[in-house]
Amino acid sequence: GVDAVRDRFNDGIRSALQDLVENLPGPSKDLTVSIDDGDLGPGPETTRVALIGPHVVAGIQVYLWYAGGAAHPNQSVSTTVINGDTAQPITYDDLFPNQYAAMERLRQVLPGLDPTGRVRPDNVNVRLEQWLPAPTGVRFYVPVSHAAGDFVPITVPWDRIRDLVDPKIVPVLSQ
């Protein structure tokens, strides 16, 4: 209901789509490119507003895109998280002040929380910048090989990472 929050969220969603479009190998390379709705399934792992809470608005965009001549289509994921109190984005850097400790912890816990077995500790070697708050924790979209599905959504319970999350952010996200 706050115009500034709505506008910041919509701007974030539009910017993410624009970044995807601009970085696709397409018209400048004389390739036909198609973009469609993606789905990381199971469950609601498609483009949507994922959470509207008293202090946060969050959304995910999942696109299936194909550049003519490629061997297969690819999935892309982008998330937008806006602080409903300040109308400012909440980034991975805001979430985890100590990046090294966060990566080490996530490297330890994510494989054990993945029921599909597609995430191994060596998959968790980059900043997991695509994430959403969830009532029970933080949902990360872990990049994996295309053959393994491009991304694996995994929710890490608050009790496994709360000590690493900025204490000012925890009440905003854990609703």
Side-chain angles (χ1 to χ4, degrees):
V2 177
D3 291 347
V5 174
R6 180 203 60 224
D7 293 346
R8 182 61 65 120
F9 178 80
N10 289 342
D11 288 347
I13 295 292
R14 284 186 200 101
S15 292
L17 178 56
Q18 187 64 37
D19 287 346
L20 172 66
V21 169
E22 288 176 359
N23 289 303
L24 289 175
S28 65
K29 297 182 180 177
D30 294 329
L31 296 175
T32 300
V33 176
S34 64
I35 300 175
D36 204 347
D37 291 329
D39 186 355
L40 300 176
E45 295 299 342
T46 58
T47 299
R48 70 191 190 290
V49 175
L51 177 66
I52 299 175
H55 302 286
V56 69
V57 177
I60 181 171
Q61 295 164 274
V62 182
Y63 295 110
L64 181 68
W65 60 271
Y66 175 77
H72 51 75
N74 293 286
Q75 301 260 19
S76 291
V77 173
S78 179
T79 58
T80 302
V81 181
I82 304 296
N83 185 324
D85 300 326
T86 65
Q88 295 301 308
I90 302 173
T91 66
Y92 185 82
D93 290 336
D94 297 328
L95 186 65
F96 294 121
N98 184 333
Q99 302 289 306
Y100 178 78
M103 183 173 295
E104 287 303 308
R105 177 78 55 81
L106 292 171
R107 186 175 285 133
Q108 292 170 8
V109 302
L110 285 168
L113 295 170
D114 174 19
T116 70
R118 294 180 287 163
V119 173
R120 298 179 315 277
D122 60 315
N123 291 117
V124 187
N125 58 10
V126 297
R127 293 163 40 103
L128 299 175
E129 294 191 31
Q130 306 311 322
W131 62 275
L132 292 172
T136 59
V138 177
R139 189 157 185 84
F140 293 96
Y141 294 86
V142 183
V144 294
S145 71
H146 177 72
D150 294 319
F151 293 90
V152 177
I154 301 173
T155 301
V156 178
W158 282 113
D159 64 349
R160 305 285 294 270
I161 58 171
R162 185 183 305 271
D163 61 318
L164 295 174
V165 176
D166 184 328
K168 296 182 302 265
I169 298 296
V170 172
V172 173
L173 299 178
S174 61
Q175 308 176 37

